Amino acid sequence: SVAALIAPLPPPGASEAEVAAAADAALSLWRRNGVVVFEKLLTPHATEALLSAVRAAEADDGATDYTLVTRNAKRGTRSHKALPVSAAREALGEVAQRIGPFLSAALGGSGALALMESGFMVTRPGAEAQAFHRDVAPGVVSASSLAASLQVALVDTCAEQGVLEVSPGSHRFDPAAPETTSFDRRVAAGGSATAGGAAAAVGGPR
């Protein structure tokens, strides 16, 4: 269930011990399932600012558009575009502050975290379900490295709108696994979401 995937966030002004405990709890969930859910990861102000930036970018015909390349979507039902990092600065700052220790531990890096891509997706009524896929292609992330895909809900959603499904253990990178592998076991990590909440899926095929 989704409840079993929720990791605690350190409270405002948390001590180093509290921050470390929250990171350890999230890391345990990730290592077991390959996905972690954080409730109310972003403040309402950051969520609203990010939503405004997404709406502006969606209406911008000059924004880099990946929709037909990555989603095989029927025209008009799904948009997938790049979002300038400058437009997501406040949200990225909150992510780094609240789950940076977890991400550093999960990815095994000792230096600063590197951002590979900033983008957004808008799904409308009539959009078709997506096949299982890697969020980061094998040509970009090698078998010796990991990447974290962080999805933040900017509006409230419900299960009837479609769920984020993750195959447990699929975060363990396997470059030989085909892009659309059929998985027998799936965890619905996003049956419903509240604006500002996020699910971080780390690693290979999802």
Side-chain angles (χ1 to χ4, degrees), residues 126-142:
E128 297 175 346
Q130 299 181 68
F132 266 73
H133 60 276
R134 295 182 176 95
D135 270 358
V136 182
V140 178
V141 176
S142 70

Side-chain angles (χ1 to χ4, degrees), residues 33-109:
N33 301 296
V35 63
V36 182
V37 176
F38 298 99
E39 292 186 303
K40 299 180 180 179
L41 176 62
L42 301 182
T43 61
H45 185 274
T47 301
E48 187 58 37
L50 193 56
L51 179 58
S52 296
V54 165
R55 286 172 172 162
E58 185 185 17
D60 182 4
D61 292 334
T64 303
D65 194 333
Y66 304 116
T67 306
L68 297 182
V69 176
T70 60
R71 302 302 167 189
N72 299 318
K74 294 186 294 185
R75 284 191 179 277
T77 61
R78 197 188 309 272
S79 299
H80 179 206
K81 292 185 176 183
L83 183 68
V85 172
S86 58
R89 190 177 306 279
E90 181 180 358
L92 290 171
E94 290 191 0
V95 167
Q97 180 182 27
R98 305 195 77 183
I99 63 171
F102 154 69
L103 290 173
S104 293
L107 301 180

Side-chain angles (χ1 to χ4, degrees), residues 107-187:
L107 301 180
S110 57
L113 295 171
L115 180 65
M116 295 176 61
E117 180 184 20
S118 172
F120 66 89
M121 182 180 297
V122 177
T123 304
R124 301 176 184 82
E128 297 175 346
Q130 299 181 68
F132 266 73
H133 60 276
R134 295 182 176 95
D135 270 358
V136 182
V140 178
V141 176
S142 70
S144 62
S145 60
L146 290 172
S149 175
L150 183 68
Q151 184 180 97
V152 179
L154 296 180
V155 296
D156 295 344
T157 64
C158 61
E160 288 73 20
Q161 291 173 272
V163 300
L164 170 65
E165 292 182 306
V166 177
S167 176
S170 65
H171 61 300
R172 297 181 180 88
F173 192 92
D174 181 3
E179 180 72 10
T180 55
T181 299
S182 294
F183 297 108
D184 294 329
R185 297 186 302 145
R186 300 181 181 184
V187 174

